């Protein structure tokens, strides 16, 4: 039983580590894909980062901004800043939102 539980724990750790680390290039490919599953996965990733940072890492966004808008803003940022595709993907979302809405606490 202990071996079984240990195996499950290792599997979950390995799966979680892999799923959380995507590059800006991978996010760019997902968001610009014509395949709905790829686009949805990219939008889901952006949604998670957006929910974490809204009003904390960048100033609070207006109510009329939709998740689709946030995904489009992130895609435009990745398209306009190809060097950002080399970083971990969440930086692209953060920098895109800060460029548009400003950093919290900045004047």
């Amino acid at each position: 039983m202990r071996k079984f539980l240990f195996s499950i724990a290792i599997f979950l750790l390995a799966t979680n580590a892999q799923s959380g680390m995507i590059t800006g290039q991978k996010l760019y490919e997902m968001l610009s894909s014509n395949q709905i599953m790829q686009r949805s996965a990219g939008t889901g990733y952006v949604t998670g980062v957006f929910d974490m940072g809204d009003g904390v890492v960048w100033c609070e966004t207006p109510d009329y901004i939709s998740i689709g808008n946030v995904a489009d803003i992130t895609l435009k940022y990745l398209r306009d800043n190809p060097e950002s595709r080399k970083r971990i993907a969440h930086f692209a979302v953060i920098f895109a939102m800060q460029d548009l809405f400003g950093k919290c606490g900045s004047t």
Side-chain angles (χ1 to χ4, degrees):
M1 184 65 165
R2 292 179 84 187
K3 285 184 181 182
F4 176 73
L5 292 175
F6 180 75
S7 298
I8 290 175
I10 294 298
F11 174 75
L12 291 174
L13 286 172
T15 304
N16 190 28
Q18 180 187 15
S19 66
M21 299 292 288
I22 66 169
T23 64
Q25 180 61 37
K26 179 64 177 171
L27 182 59
Y28 175 77
E29 291 168 4
M30 292 164 69
L31 291 174
S32 59
S33 176
N34 291 328
Q35 297 178 358
I36 193 153
M37 292 300 291
Q38 285 291 315
R39 173 87 179 167
S40 295
T43 300
Y45 184 90
V46 168
T47 300
V49 178
F50 179 78
D51 284 345
M52 176 275 313
D54 190 30
V56 178
V57 181
W58 55 86
C59 293
E60 194 167 323
T61 57
D63 290 337
Y64 60 83
I65 298 292
S66 71
I67 292 302
N69 295 140
V70 173
D72 291 342
I73 292 164
T74 303
L75 178 59
K76 181 180 182 323
Y77 179 85
L78 287 165
R79 190 177 292 133
D80 294 347
N81 300 278
E83 71 282 355
S84 68
R85 298 180 202 168
K86 297 176 186 174
R87 295 183 170 176
I88 298 172
H90 66 264
F91 286 116
V93 182
I94 291 169
F95 294 154
M97 296 302 110
Q98 286 180 340
D99 281 358
L100 193 59
F101 301 110
K103 295 180 183 179
C104 284
S106 64
T107 56

